[in-house]
Amino acid sequence: MLVVENLIKQYGDLMAVDNISFEASQGTVFGLLGPNGAGKSTAINCISGLLKATSGRIRVAGFDVQKEGKKARKSLGVVPQELALYEDLPAIDNLRFWGKAYGMRGAELQSRVQDVLAHIGLGDRAGDLPKTFSGGMKRRLNFGCGIVHRPAVMLLDEPTVGVDPQSRERLFEMVEAERNNGTCVLYTTHYMEEAERLCDSVAIIDHGKLISQGTVAELRAQLGARDVLQLSGEFPQASTELAVKNLVESGLSDLEMISQEETSITLTLTSGSQHLPAIFSTLSDAGGKVSETNLRSPNLETLFLLLTGKELRE
Amino acid sequence: MDFTLSSMKKDLLRWMQDPTGILLWIVLPLMIGGMTALLFGGGGGVKPHGVLLIADQDDSLISGLVAGAFSQGELGELISVEKVSVDAGTERINNGEASGFLIIPSGFGAAFFESTPVTLTLRTNPAQTILPGIITDVTEILLDAGFYAEQLFGPEIRAVRTADKKGAVDEVLVSSVAVAVQQKIDSAATRIFPPALDVVIVEPPPTEPAVPLGFLFLPGVILMGMMFAANGLAGDYWTERELGALRRIVFAPSRLMPFLVGKALAAGLVIATIGGLTLFVGFLYLGIAWHKLPASLLWVAVSGIALFAWFGALQMSSSSRRAGNLVTSMLLFPLLMIGGSFFPLASLPNWMAAFGRRTPNGFIADQLSSQITTAGAWSIGAQNWLIVLAVAASGLLVCAWRLQSGFARS
């Protein structure tokens, strides 16, 4: 349904999207995960036709975005990161306008607009101006404007940014409903819990490069059962490296140091909580001082940390 | 077409949410037009009319002739004569209720016949300029004419008057007076006819009938409203960009031109409404034939679209809303100045008027001026319609290019 092959987008020397490829099927939600500035929005803009890719190939519902742009865009529904609404036009007229922009008309449009209004929970506010809406309501209407023409492929670019928990939950339900209706959804976010909740498949992107890809289960399997232990304090470089080596040799064979700085280190290991006393003792003997400890069980966020050595929200 | 209408409807609905701006664009030219009309005495060509109060204390034949002279011929169209008492006349002239107050004293007729000195008192209204001057001049001419008539025919007049007092006017007297008068005219005729001085009246070359001032101002005032409206509405591209709607439009398949055309039609409708109201008031005030209105209105609408398209192109070519407003404002006011909105093109020096007619608004105003001052219902040539349509189309193409080339994406 959505095929991206060797997509490159370059601005001068800056490689915003660096040779990424992925594929999303009908009736699934594909998550594109990465921190701010990773290249997610650039990739979305290339897929939607807003930006011209430097190279690579994109097919939407079987249509090449470059060669059959009109057909490809007709099959696309875009929910941009920023709100894209007429705040001084009643909600129902917003939906009508965007429906007509995609070629809908007459009874089909009227019926669809009513369905979407009910779907996004704004049936009783149809005649009101969006500028009188709460942030969450505006987000829902923004979503509605993207689906009013029944797209085969939806692009959702960080749709929950700045949304209250209640509206976020409502948005999740709407995304799931679209998936259940057979729509292919490309969902970008930097919230791993959203990806774990919604996505069938996930691609992790950083600095424009795709660093890992698979189903959520497959990605978790990359981590195994290992926890991530983050320690803050003072860690002299040479003695800390030696201490970690001693720990591995003394029985913690799967212990691995992901990152090391003078004020923090990140380790990964199995059953981390059981080995905390031994780790603290060895580091202390090596001249280290631990002031803060953070032990996390395996999830996509820790996988990102494992892969990139940094937090997703940095 | 369906999406074009949808785009037009969308903008009309949005703009109606803020009627203040549209009201200002309507009120501003009407206010300036009204002030201009007041300053220049209006364009309707209404003749001035004044009242001359006369207190006739003599009540004689001669005083009656003086009073009656002001009511004769064209003078009567300018001046109404009212006979009043001295007190009433004094009070009314003091209150500024008349152009002049003439007191004809008792004994005026007798003094006339006896060639003795007599004084007539004329008080004029200092608040008025033209009519009191006319009254003063006419009064002096009347008295001069009376003096010369008395000098020429004094003996005959006195003979008739004496006989009349005695009741002895008979055919002999009348015929002798008539003969004497004829002899005096005949003897004077040798000196009067042919006149020593001959006046040859040179007719001025035929010219076009003068166009009333209001006709000259009306197109410029309409263009002022149109320019303000077109500039203000073109700023809406920035609003739509800030709302994110332009990005979404670019996502949509091949909907850019219908979107822009719909927006331009909405702008044309608003500008036509603004210009149309001013036109209506102008037609009503200046008494312009109504059959010229449809073409005038259509010209305003089509030209309004052209102005909107190019103001939009300028806005979208700027780096920010503030820069866009600065650029268009820097163009707007000089164009209004040179294009006949503050001073009619006809009142400008020839070189400046020629330049003004080549500005966009000057061209539009000039054609509108032709439309309302010439006889036909459709006076604007097909070539000029095509020029405006081409300008509108090219402006919209520039807008489309800017939307595609980055304005919508930023």
Side-chain angles (χ1 to χ4, degrees):
Chain A
M1 189 59 68
L2 173 64
V3 181
V4 176
E5 293 173 8
N6 307 115
L7 178 65
I8 293 176
K9 179 63 189 176
Q10 200 169 355
Y11 297 103
D13 292 337
L14 177 71
M15 193 71 86
V17 177
D18 190 358
N19 199 29
I20 66 170
S21 301
F22 60 85
E23 203 173 321
S25 314
Q26 188 178 0
T28 61
V29 178
F30 187 92
L32 201 54
L33 312 186
N36 291 328
K40 304 187 298 292
S41 294
T42 307
I44 286 252
N45 287 339
C46 289
I47 295 166
S48 67
L50 193 62
L51 289 177
K52 191 176 178 184
T54 306
S55 67
R57 191 170 176 217
I58 301 162
R59 292 180 72 80
V60 174
F63 302 111
D64 190 296
V65 168
Q66 294 294 331
K67 294 175 186 165
E68 301 162 289
K70 191 174 174 181
K71 287 178 182 172
R73 274 185 273 166
K74 201 160 187 175
S75 306
L76 266 179
V78 183
V79 180
Q81 188 172 345
E82 305 292 336
L83 289 174
L85 298 169
Y86 288 106
E87 299 213 3
D88 44 5
L89 193 67
I92 190 167
D93 287 319
N94 263 286
L95 291 170
R96 282 179 187 147
F97 176 75
W98 293 114
K100 283 190 176 177
Y102 281 83
M104 295 182 82
R105 61 183 64 188
E108 183 201 11
L109 175 65
Q110 297 308 325
S111 161
R112 178 63 179 161
V113 163
Q114 293 304 327
D115 288 349
V116 172
L117 278 169
H119 183 52
I120 61 178
L122 291 175
D124 57 339
R125 301 290 302 269
D128 294 346
L129 299 178
K131 64 184 176 187
T132 63
F133 289 179
S134 68
M137 290 163 82
K138 286 180 188 175
R139 283 277 168 193
R140 273 145 52 195
L141 181 59
N142 196 39
F143 184 91
C145 291
I147 61 166
V148 70
H149 61 290
R150 293 195 184 92
V153 177
M154 272 191 80
L155 307 181
L156 279 87
D157 192 5
E158 308 219 21
T160 55
V161 171
V163 175
D164 61 89
Q166 194 181 355
S167 294
R168 180 180 294 206
E169 188 57 34
R170 187 68 187 255
L171 266 169
F172 291 165
E173 289 168 12
M174 291 191 295
V175 172
E176 285 166 342
E178 289 304 309
R179 173 179 57 192
N180 296 339
N181 287 335
T183 308
C184 167
V185 181
L186 177 64
Y187 190 103
T188 78
T189 182
H190 60 259
Y191 296 120
M192 286 298 176
E193 61 273 21
E194 285 185 13
E196 289 187 292
R197 153 87 191 264
L198 288 173
C199 298
D200 302 292
S201 302
V202 171
I204 297 177
I205 185 171
D206 189 35
H207 294 305
K209 287 185 178 175
L210 208 127
I211 53 176
S212 189
Q213 178 173 191
T215 63
V216 173
E218 286 168 351
L219 290 176
R220 276 187 181 150
Q222 283 186 29
L223 269 175
R226 289 186 298 171
D227 299 327
V228 171
L229 176 64
Q230 283 180 293
L231 301 173
S232 301
E234 293 172 17
F235 305 100
Q237 191 171 356
S239 58
T240 302
E241 276 178 21
L242 190 63
V244 171
K245 196 177 172 185
N246 290 336
L247 282 166
V248 172
E249 286 170 356
S250 65
L252 287 174
S253 56
D254 66 343
L255 178 68
E256 191 180 342
M257 188 153 68
I258 298 169
S259 68
Q260 181 189 7
E261 293 172 20
E262 283 197 10
T263 55
S264 69
I265 57 171
T266 304
L267 306 166
T268 175
L269 74 167
T270 310
S271 306
S273 57
Q274 294 176 20
H275 303 294
L276 281 178
I279 292 169
F280 287 163
S281 169
T282 307
L283 287 174
S284 179
D285 293 344
K289 287 181 183 172
V290 177
S291 59
E292 192 177 321
T293 305
N294 185 0
L295 180 67
R296 283 184 280 179
S297 54
N299 58 20
L300 288 181
E301 199 140 355
T302 53
L303 175 64
F304 186 84
L305 190 64
L306 188 68
L307 293 170
T308 65
K310 64 185 179 186
E311 290 281 1
L312 188 58
R313 293 189 182 92
E314 281 175 1
Chain B
M1 189 61 190
D2 200 33
F3 185 57
T4 303
L5 293 177
S6 180
S7 174
M8 183 176 87
K9 183 185 167 191
K10 173 261 299 176
D11 280 327
L12 289 175
L13 283 171
R14 290 176 55 234
W15 294 339
M16 277 161 54
Q17 301 289 333
D18 178 26
T20 319
I22 293 175
L23 275 176
L24 275 177
W25 294 328
I26 293 172
V27 168
L28 196 66
L30 286 178
M31 198 174 72
I32 293 173
M35 284 166 65
T36 308
L38 284 175
L39 274 173
F40 288 88
V46 179
K47 282 186 178 176
H49 194 88
V51 174
L52 174 63
L53 304 172
I54 295 181
D56 186 358
Q57 294 175 315
D58 188 47
D59 202 20
S60 65
L61 173 68
I62 297 297
S63 67
L65 286 173
V66 171
F70 283 99
S71 309
Q72 302 301 312
E74 291 187 6
L75 201 58
E77 293 176 17
L78 294 173
I79 297 166
S80 300
V81 174
E82 282 185 40
K83 288 199 171 183
V84 293
S85 68
V86 173
D87 291 340
T90 305
E91 187 182 347
R92 286 181 62 184
I93 195 74
N94 286 343
N95 292 337
E97 294 172 8
S99 302
F101 175 39
L102 180 66
I103 301 172
I104 304 175
S106 178
F108 169 73
F112 175 79
F113 288 123
E114 291 157 12
S115 297
T116 54
V118 67
T119 302
L120 274 72
T121 306
L122 176 65
R123 289 183 61 194
T124 54
N125 185 345
Q128 297 178 8
T129 52
I130 297 171
L131 288 170
I134 292 172
I135 290 168
T136 306
D137 291 344
V138 169
T139 306
E140 286 175 353
I141 289 167
L142 280 172
L143 294 179
D144 287 348
F147 170 75
Y148 288 116
E150 200 279 331
Q151 290 296 309
L152 203 57
F153 307 112
E156 288 75 20
I157 293 169
R158 277 189 290 276
V160 172
R161 191 167 171 252
T162 308
D164 184 42
K165 280 181 181 174
K166 292 176 182 173
V169 177
D170 56 12
E171 292 170 352
V172 176
L173 177 68
V174 171
S175 60
S176 66
V177 166
V179 169
V181 167
Q182 186 59 46
Q183 283 173 342
K184 285 185 177 177
I185 290 172
D186 289 344
S187 64
T190 57
R191 280 169 283 173
I192 298 172
F193 304 112
L197 298 173
D198 192 15
V199 177
V200 177
I201 298 171
V202 180
E203 291 287 337
T207 55
E208 291 286 321
V211 178
L213 209 56
F215 279 68
L216 300 178
F217 270 101
L218 181 63
V221 168
I222 290 169
L223 256 292
M224 189 187 295
M226 288 170 67
M227 295 275 277
F228 281 136
N231 183 33
L233 293 173
D236 194 50
Y237 284 117
W238 284 104
T239 306
E240 288 196 280
R241 185 170 108 145
E242 286 153 11
L243 289 171
L246 290 184
R247 285 168 68 89
R248 208 192 269 273
I249 275 293
V250 177
F251 295 143
S254 302
R255 296 286 160 180
L256 218 52
M257 272 320 278
F259 169 79
L260 286 171
V261 171
K263 198 167 183 63
L265 287 176
L269 201 63
V270 171
I271 293 170
T273 305
I274 292 165
L277 279 170
T278 317
L279 269 175
F280 181 79
V281 172
F283 269 56
L284 207 61
Y285 182 70
L286 298 169
I288 302 169
W290 290 105
H291 68 268
K292 296 178 184 177
L293 187 63
S296 307
L297 200 55
L298 191 61
W299 179 252
V300 165
V302 176
S303 309
I305 289 173
L307 289 172
F308 169 77
W310 276 100
F311 273 121
L314 283 173
Q315 288 279 0
M316 281 197 259
S317 301
S318 304
S319 57
S320 66
R321 183 193 276 266
R322 183 179 294 189
N325 288 340
L326 194 66
V327 168
T328 53
S329 298
M330 279 170 66
L331 274 174
L332 185 75
F333 288 99
L335 281 176
L336 287 176
M337 192 73 80
I338 196 88
S341 284
F342 292 130
F343 311 105
L345 289 172
S347 72
L348 296 176
N350 285 343
W351 68 270
M352 202 181 279
F355 182 71
R357 285 189 181 92
R358 283 172 174 76
T359 60
N361 55 316
F363 171 76
I364 297 166
D366 197 38
Q367 294 304 314
L368 184 60
S369 185
S370 301
Q371 169 63 27
I372 62 176
T373 53
T374 51
W378 292 79
S379 306
I380 299 170
Q383 184 187 346
N384 295 325
W385 286 101
L386 285 175
I387 289 172
V388 171
L389 284 170
V391 168
S394 59
L396 290 178
L397 284 173
V398 173
C399 290
W401 169 73
R402 277 299 296 142
L403 279 181
Q404 289 277 25
S405 66
F407 184 79
R409 295 172 185 174
S410 303

